[in-house]
Amino acid sequence: MDILHEDSGTKGRYYAVIEGHEGEMTYSRASPQLIIIDHTGVPDALRGKGLGQALAAHAVEEARKGGWKIMPLCPFFRAQAMRHKEWHDVVNL
């Protein structure tokens, strides 16, 4: 699954297009060291295919590479972070 990235400096998103449908995870940059993940959207046609989980894992890896932390306001991402203790090095719960 190829996850793409758009960034405008203060806002951005990770997204993927699968079978003609697009799912995304959006964020705002609160500071150079902190992003706020505020939304995950996966269309019904892609539910159960692991896209939301893949987007969340990708965001965590990007945070590790970039040296920043994630504040999860998105209920989906927050729930995933609670299940993945190994993400707590970059997720502020």
Side-chain angles (χ1 to χ4, degrees):
M1 176 178 317
D2 290 331
I3 297 178
L4 305 168
H5 184 212
E6 289 179 354
D7 185 70
S8 68
T10 59
K11 294 195 177 283
R13 72 183 188 129
Y14 301 112
Y15 67 100
V17 179
I18 301 170
E19 300 169 6
H21 302 280
E22 182 177 280
E24 70 175 358
M25 178 171 284
T26 61
Y27 66 85
S28 298
R29 185 163 294 281
S31 75
Q33 296 81 31
L34 180 68
I35 67 166
I36 299 167
I37 293 184
D38 50 27
H39 172 73
T40 303
V42 175
D44 289 341
L46 297 179
R47 296 209 187 269
K49 297 185 184 277
L51 178 55
Q53 176 66 31
L55 291 167
H58 185 80
V60 168
E61 288 306 313
E62 289 296 304
R64 286 182 178 140
K65 283 192 252 179
W68 63 74
K69 300 285 185 180
I70 297 171
M71 179 181 296
L73 293 185
C74 167
F76 173 81
F77 186 89
R78 184 172 183 78
Q80 290 299 311
M82 301 278 287
R83 289 185 193 112
H84 292 274
K85 306 290 185 207
E86 69 274 15
W87 294 358
H88 290 187
D89 59 316
V90 295
V91 178
N92 291 338
L93 290 175

